[in-house]
């Protein structure tokens, strides 16, 4: 991909200001649509709109799909419906659906009515019925399809006709007379069996396929498992509906990863660095307010044990260790679970097994860390044995609680169809802070009363 320097940006800025369309045409013609999209992101909205109008329809359509959703929406929101329809005429159906989904209902109907290819418009309408996070919502209908009963000459003839309007050909899919997927036709078999009587005698049977209602994350796992570049989509009785390509899957996976990362960071909605101050503030403030509320609650809890802290001030020194360690352990445990759910290495059905495993890990971590703190306090606080025991036992209990919480919460979220990535961020941290403080002061109170006789 071309890297645009400040001089490049200034050059295009100068071209737009001088209305030098010939120069703009010449420079844009040398760029890939992805590079043009990158250029537009470095220009202001008016400049990008000026240059976009200079592109031919096919290039303009490709550039639209290379832009991120927010930038794309800026370009099309003031575009006449006739112009949007022209762009769609040059797009595959899956890309066309992505574009149309950004329009409101009225605009969507108007654009669909303006599409020249009635068959394409019908395919788009059919695809809009599927949830965008399923295989059906991601598939396109552009593919080479042959009948298992065709002879090789007839097959080649039909393939040539179908390929005329296609940019990329990944597989040749074989169906029966009821349009049920039967197999794929490898290029090698076409070359080595030019006179075969019927395609079904040389096709590869049992191709990897996916149902239209399958969630995108499961589709991505199948692509990775079987090293596919495209996958056919079928309905409940095996009829071929369309195909999904690996680039579309990767785009969805990237978007999901970005969303999960933001959730884990305490950002409540999808925002980018170039979004407005108001938009970014709205996305960040909810969890910050929750964090403030949890901090105030923790201070109230500590206030209830003011007498204990005044009687043994050394207890206050270890509050950061208790809270920090509990939060880290909880985030670690939840991150492992969320990662396992995402890559398929952990099944929600194995809830008990994962919980048992995390309890064992928690026991080991808690034992090691508690012993380390115990030994440190023995040497640094030889006269405060009660505090030493209180801190070590509390740390052990908090680590065990955090390990269990970090495992149970994301698994529970998954069962409730809530994004488990939420459990790797502030949610776990806040829960651990509040409960950790309660555990600490309760255990400390117990041991101080038991070992020192203090009436606290």
């Amino acid at each position: 991909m071309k890297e645009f320097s400040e001089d490049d940006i200034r050059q295009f800025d100068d071209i737009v200001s001088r209305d030098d369309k010939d120069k703009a045409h010449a420079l844009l013609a040398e760029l890939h649509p992805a590079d043009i999209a990158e250029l537009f992101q470095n220009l202001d909205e008016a400049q990008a709109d000026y240059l976009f109008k200079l592109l031919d329809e096919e290039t303009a359509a490709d550039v639209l799909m290379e832009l991120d959703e927010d930038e794309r929406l800026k370009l099309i929101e003031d575009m006449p419906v006739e112009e949007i329809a022209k762009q769609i005429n040059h797009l595959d159906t899956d890309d066309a659906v992505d574009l149309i989904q950004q329009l409101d209902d009225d605009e969507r109907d108007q654009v669909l009515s303006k599409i020249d290819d009635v068959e394409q418009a019908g395919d788009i309408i059919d695809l809009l019925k599927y949830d965008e996070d399923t295989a059906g919502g991601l598939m396109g209908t552009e593919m080479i399809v042959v009948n298992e009963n065709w002879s090789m000459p007839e097959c080649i003839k039909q393939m040539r006709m179908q390929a005329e309007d296609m940019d990329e050909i990944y597989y040749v899919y074989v169906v029966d007379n009821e349009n049920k997927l039967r197999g794929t036709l490898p290029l090698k078999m076409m070359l080595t069996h030019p006179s075969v009587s019927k395609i079904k005698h040389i096709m590869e049977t049992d191709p990897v396929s996916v149902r239209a209602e399958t969630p995108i994350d499961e589709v991505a796992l199948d692509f990775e498992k079987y090293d596919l570049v495209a996958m056919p989509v079928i309905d409940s009785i095996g009829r071929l509906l369309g195909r999904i390509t690996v680039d579309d899957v990767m785009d969805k996976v990237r978007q999901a990863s970005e969303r999960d990362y933001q959730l884990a960071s305490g950002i409540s909605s999808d925002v980018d660095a170039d979004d407005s101050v108001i938009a970014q503030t709205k996305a960040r403030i909810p969890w910050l307010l929750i964090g403030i509320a949890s901090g105030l609650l923790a201070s109230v809890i500590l206030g209830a044990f003011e007498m204990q802290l005044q009687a043994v001030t050394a207890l206050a020194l270890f509050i950061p260790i208790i809270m920090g360690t509990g939060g880290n352990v909880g985030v670690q445990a939840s991150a492992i679970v969320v990662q396992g759910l995402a890559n398929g290495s952990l099944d929600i059905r194995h809830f008990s097994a994962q919980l048992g495993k995390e309890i064992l890990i928690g026991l080991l971590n808690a034992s090691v860390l508690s012993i380390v703190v115990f030994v440190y306090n023995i040497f640094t606080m030889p006269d405060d044995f009660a505090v030493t025991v209180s801190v070590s036992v509390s740390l052990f209990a908090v680590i065990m609680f955090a390990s269990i919480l970090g495992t149970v919460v994301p698994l529970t979220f998954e069962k409730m169809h809530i994004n488990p990535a939420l459990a790797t961020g502030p949610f776990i941290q806040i829960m651990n802070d509040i409960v950790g403080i309660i555990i600490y002061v309760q255990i400390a109170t117990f041991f101080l009363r038991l070992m020192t006789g203090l009436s606290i």
Side-chain angles (χ1 to χ4, degrees):
M1 178 175 289
K2 178 180 174 57
E3 294 290 336
F4 290 98
S5 65
E6 292 185 7
D7 289 339
D8 293 328
I9 303 303
R10 280 195 293 268
Q11 181 182 20
F12 277 99
D13 181 46
D14 181 60
I15 288 172
V16 174
S17 63
R18 290 188 290 105
D19 193 20
D20 191 346
K21 294 181 180 179
D22 292 337
K23 182 66 173 178
H25 272 298
L27 290 176
L28 292 172
E30 298 175 356
L31 298 176
H32 187 278
D35 293 326
I36 298 176
E38 181 76 15
L39 170 66
F40 283 4
Q41 291 174 0
N42 288 284
L43 300 174
D44 63 38
E45 188 174 341
Q47 293 170 329
D49 184 64
Y50 174 89
L51 294 175
F52 182 80
K53 291 177 180 178
L54 299 180
L55 301 173
D56 62 80
E57 291 178 4
E58 185 173 355
T59 303
D62 290 337
V63 170
L64 275 179
M65 301 318 300
E66 293 290 347
L67 292 167
D68 62 41
E69 292 185 0
D70 292 338
E71 294 294 329
R72 185 189 308 148
L73 186 58
K74 290 177 183 177
L75 277 177
I76 66 175
E77 60 184 359
D78 296 324
M79 194 181 294
V81 293
E82 293 83 4
E83 185 63 28
I84 298 175
K86 288 180 181 179
Q87 310 300 331
I88 289 176
N89 285 330
H90 297 282
L91 295 175
D92 289 342
T93 49
D94 53 336
D95 290 332
V97 168
D98 290 340
L99 178 58
I100 287 181
Q101 283 176 333
Q102 292 191 260
L103 307 175
D104 58 43
D105 291 340
D106 290 339
E107 277 189 306
R108 187 178 299 181
D109 293 338
Q110 293 179 47
V111 169
L112 288 170
S113 68
K114 299 292 183 180
I115 296 176
D116 295 335
D117 189 336
V118 177
E119 184 177 352
Q120 183 193 26
D123 288 340
I124 293 172
I125 292 172
D126 290 338
L127 294 179
L128 286 169
K129 298 175 183 177
Y130 295 102
D131 189 304
E132 62 178 331
D133 292 323
T134 64
L138 193 60
M139 72 179 178
T141 56
E142 292 80 12
M143 53 187 173
I144 301 293
V145 182
V146 299
N147 190 287
E148 63 178 353
N149 295 311
W150 289 350
S151 64
M152 185 59 73
E154 183 179 5
C155 174
I156 293 175
K157 177 183 177 182
Q158 292 292 331
M159 287 173 59
R160 286 173 176 167
M161 293 173 59
Q162 294 179 40
E164 287 182 357
D165 298 324
M166 295 183 60
D167 295 326
E168 302 286 347
I169 299 173
Y170 299 96
Y171 296 103
V172 176
Y173 298 112
V174 183
V175 298
D176 60 16
N177 293 331
E178 296 178 340
N179 200 44
K180 291 183 179 179
L181 181 64
R182 303 294 295 170
T184 58
L185 182 59
L187 176 61
K188 179 180 178 180
M189 303 303 287
M190 295 173 58
L191 296 175
T192 56
H193 297 76
S195 60
V196 67
S197 59
K198 290 186 177 181
I199 297 301
K200 64 182 177 182
H201 297 316
I202 60 171
M203 69 180 183
E204 291 185 353
T205 58
D206 300 321
V208 177
S209 60
V210 64
R211 294 270 290 270
E213 63 274 15
T214 304
I216 288 300
D217 54 351
E218 294 182 24
V219 176
L221 291 176
D222 283 342
F223 267 88
E224 182 181 12
K225 180 179 180 179
Y226 298 106
D227 294 326
L228 301 173
V229 295
M231 184 188 298
V233 181
I234 59 175
D235 64 12
S236 58
I237 59 174
R239 291 177 299 190
L240 182 62
L241 300 175
R243 57 91 187 105
I244 300 174
T245 58
V246 67
D247 58 316
D248 292 327
V249 173
M250 291 303 101
D251 285 343
K252 283 291 184 180
V253 169
R254 177 183 56 80
Q255 292 170 8
S257 297
E258 291 175 352
R259 181 71 186 112
D260 289 350
Y261 182 80
Q262 290 188 341
L263 277 177
S265 302
I267 299 175
S268 58
S269 61
D270 189 14
V271 292
D272 292 315
D274 59 352
D275 284 340
S276 68
V277 171
I278 298 299
Q280 292 199 43
T281 301
K282 286 181 178 179
R284 298 184 190 187
I285 201 67
W287 274 110
L288 294 177
L289 290 173
I290 293 172
I292 288 291
S294 71
L296 293 174
L297 179 58
S299 68
V300 170
I301 295 171
L302 288 173
F305 293 90
E306 185 178 359
M307 290 180 58
Q308 290 90 325
L309 294 175
Q310 287 179 345
V312 185
T313 55
L315 289 175
L317 300 176
F318 297 95
I319 291 175
I321 292 178
I322 298 295
M323 296 176 68
T325 304
N328 288 336
V329 169
V331 169
Q332 284 181 346
S334 61
I336 293 295
V337 173
V338 171
Q339 182 185 36
L341 292 170
N343 63 27
S345 62
L346 175 61
D347 195 310
I348 190 65
R349 293 172 296 182
H350 302 152
F351 190 112
S352 299
Q354 181 62 25
L355 180 58
K357 185 176 182 180
E358 189 57 41
I359 289 174
L360 290 176
I361 296 171
L363 283 170
L364 290 172
N365 287 335
S367 299
V368 171
L369 296 177
S370 298
I371 290 172
V372 169
V373 172
F374 182 85
V375 171
Y376 173 83
N377 284 344
I378 283 291
F379 285 101
T380 59
M381 304 172 59
D383 298 328
D384 289 325
F385 188 69
V387 172
T388 297
V389 173
S390 299
V391 172
S392 296
V393 174
S394 299
L395 186 60
F396 186 96
V398 168
I399 290 174
M400 289 304 303
F401 170 78
S403 298
I404 295 171
L405 182 73
T407 302
V408 170
V409 170
L411 289 173
T412 302
F413 281 4
E414 179 73 9
K415 275 193 170 185
M416 297 171 63
H417 304 292
I418 300 173
N419 192 336
L422 183 64
T424 62
F427 185 90
I428 289 290
Q429 189 78 44
I430 290 169
M431 289 289 293
N432 279 320
D433 286 350
I434 295 173
V435 177
I437 285 294
I438 295 174
I439 292 173
Y440 179 45
V441 293
Q442 291 287 359
I443 290 177
T445 299
F446 172 79
F447 277 104
L448 288 171
R449 285 174 177 171
L450 179 68
M451 301 177 71
T452 67
L454 290 174
S455 56
I456 56 176

